[in-house]
Amino acid sequence: QVQLAESGGGSVQSGGSLRLSCVASGDIDSTYCMAWFRQAPGKRREGVAAIDRDGTTNVANSVKGRFTISQDNAKNTVSLQMNSLKPDDTAMYYCAADSNPDCQPIVVVNILNYDMDYWGKGTLVTVGS
């Protein structure tokens, strides 16, 4: 089992920045891709960014150039740096882990309802106009 704990959400004005962190614990060696998803009220969940063990990343077109995913293996942490935030970025953000050794970040982000194995409880991001 893997446990994921997100932090770093909050309220910012449009154009501001936030950094989300996700600390993984438990059977971490069983995970191969880590990702951030988000879900806004009344909207379906969407992939935001993903990273694999080799450091290959993919970010959604909607946040490309503004959001960056990174990992610190020594701290078992995956982070999402969010810059130039917009009101449309308002959502609950979830950290997730995939135990599929063949996972690919581009697939994790872009396949609708991609099935991740472990999920955090989420952290709320609110961007005011």
Side-chain angles (χ1 to χ4, degrees):
Q1 290 293 316
V2 175
Q3 293 78 44
L4 303 171
E6 304 100 333
S7 62
S11 297
V12 295
Q13 291 300 306
S14 181
S17 298
L18 282 174
R19 186 176 181 85
L20 305 184
S21 293
C22 172
V23 178
S25 60
D27 189 14
I28 299 168
D29 289 341
S30 70
T31 61
Y32 292 85
C33 281
M34 299 291 293
W36 288 93
F37 293 81
R38 68 184 182 185
Q39 187 166 19
K43 295 186 178 181
R44 59 191 179 191
R45 188 189 74 200
E46 63 173 339
V48 177
I51 187 168
D52 69 11
R53 282 191 177 182
D54 295 330
T56 300
T57 63
N58 188 266
V59 296
N61 288 335
S62 59
V63 303
K64 195 164 291 183
R66 301 188 297 121
F67 290 14
T68 304
I69 188 170
S70 61
Q71 62 187 0
D72 184 336
N73 292 328
K75 296 182 179 180
N76 298 327
T77 300
V78 175
S79 298
L80 185 69
Q81 178 66 43
M82 305 186 296
N83 299 327
S84 302
L85 283 160
K86 306 174 181 179
D88 284 349
D89 295 319
T90 295
M92 186 70 80
Y93 284 71
Y94 298 92
C95 177
D98 189 355
S99 60
N100 176 8
D102 297 320
C103 66
Q104 300 177 58
I106 191 171
V107 174
V108 170
V109 170
N110 292 294
I111 295 298
L112 185 63
N113 293 326
Y114 185 87
D115 187 19
M116 302 293 278
D117 294 294
Y118 305 100
W119 292 87
K121 294 182 178 180
T123 186
L124 181 62
V125 172
T126 303
V127 184
S129 57

